[in-house]
Amino acid sequence: MGEKHDTLSLGIDLGGTKILTAVANAQGKMLSRDHSITPAKEGQDVVVKSILESVGRALDQAHIAAADLAAIGLGAPGLSNPETGILFTSPNLPGWKNVPLRDIIEKELGRKAFLINDANAAAVGELYFGAGRGARDFIYITVSTGIGGGIIIDRKIYTGSAGMAGELGHMVIDDEGPQCNCGNKGCWETLASGTALAREARHRIKEGAVTSILRYTDGNIEKINAEAIQEAAQAGDKLANELITRAAYYLGVGLANLVNIFNPEAIVIGGGLSNIGDMLLKPAFEEAKRRAFKQAYQAVRFARAELGRDSGVLGAAAFALDKIRATENTLEPNSE
Ligand SMILES: [Zn+2]
């Protein structure tokens, strides 16, 4: 369709609740985009089948076949190794253990595939097509139900020796803090995520705090989420404002650590909770400023992520293109 000579890749963003699939070119232009639900409870085989169905629809929509793709990039939640293509475990995909996800996808679609952590994929998306475009070194964080991250050094995602780098949400902020899903205590995401905000609200209400938060959840304490707290805060609710200030404080503590460790050009912030905006971010940046080295803080630019929900799928597609090019380049000098 006139795009014949374009280099196309397929991005898959596998989440615990949704699967997003897109065919994109090297400039990040999407030729198609398919969105479906992840049947996580039905187990691995059903989820893999759903991925392949979504891929089929995305290819049809773009009027191409799998054979037209240069590569496939797959972003998945949880711990994985991009070198081996194995997804170790994922809190969002119950029952998955050491799944050779890359090889499964490669075999089914007959194209070279690459596996990457979902937050790392989002960081790559922002690197090429979003808020990280002009930066060499930056840190991406996504603050939603948890906190995910990606470390970009010299315009490359840093994945570590076993592929597990960038688990920024599990940096310990309070050694006696709340229990984390990972088994540790007081991780950043137990104090500064949407889940942390809701948990603290429920705790305070059960202790008898007076608040209007429940007005935004039909009176149901279990339905409390970040949006309800934000709405109550905007309407002037004292507890809701206190809770956001508390989350902002911990967000700032973690940001100060990142500023001091990486001295990055930028920290790009995405994820649902960041949509609270200034009410959360301004006090977080102030706390980071109080704690970080002055010169490092002055050198950092805080930016909001630009790609929204497409960062992961575009990043996965771009990561795959990057990898396939690197493979070709390394083969060149010594080709058989
Ligand atoms: Zn943790």
Side-chain angles (χ1 to χ4, degrees), residues 137 258-265 295-297 299-300:
D137 307 302
L258 295 177
V259 168
N260 282 352
I261 294 168
F262 294 102
N263 182 18
E265 274 175 71
Q295 292 84 351
Y297 186 85
V300 74

Side-chain angles (χ1 to χ4, degrees), residues 65-245:
D68 298 322
L69 295 167
I72 298 165
L74 173 66
L79 300 175
S80 59
N81 187 336
E83 295 302 321
T84 60
I86 289 175
L87 180 68
F88 300 123
T89 58
S90 174
N92 303 317
L93 299 167
W96 291 49
K97 213 160 193 145
N98 301 329
V99 178
L101 196 53
R102 179 195 67 195
D103 292 355
I104 293 172
I105 296 294
E106 257 181 16
K107 202 169 153 231
E108 290 288 343
L109 295 170
R111 302 306 292 160
K112 196 109 183 85
F114 300 91
L115 178 67
I116 181 174
N117 167 272
D118 55 354
N120 282 355
V124 173
E126 292 292 335
L127 166 70
Y128 283 108
F129 315 118
R133 270 184 313 250
R136 262 197 110 62
D137 307 302
F138 74 92
I139 307 295
Y140 168 80
I141 63 166
T142 170
V143 191
S144 57
T145 53
I147 297 179
I151 301 162
I152 302 289
I153 297 175
D154 215 7
R155 294 193 66 76
K156 279 201 176 57
I157 185 81
Y158 176 73
T159 52
S161 68
M164 283 152 69
E167 291 293 340
L168 307 177
H170 299 282
M171 109 175 104
V172 177
I173 301 290
D174 175 0
D175 65 343
E176 296 292 326
Q179 184 65 44
C180 184
N181 289 332
C182 75
N184 206 342
K185 271 184 181 174
C187 295
W188 199 16
E189 70 174 35
T190 70
L191 295 161
S193 66
T195 309
L197 195 56
R199 187 203 58 233
E200 192 61 19
R202 284 195 292 274
H203 174 69
R204 296 286 298 275
I205 290 169
K206 282 176 184 162
E207 274 187 338
V210 178
T211 173
S212 66
I213 293 172
L214 292 174
R215 264 189 235 158
Y216 304 89
T217 67
D218 303 322
N220 187 343
I221 193 167
E222 296 308 321
K223 275 197 191 165
I224 290 177
N225 57 17
E227 289 79 27
I229 296 166
Q230 182 186 1
E231 283 189 72
Q234 277 160 350
D237 186 84
K238 192 165 162 275
L239 177 68
N241 275 292
E242 256 178 62
L243 292 169
I244 290 175
T245 304

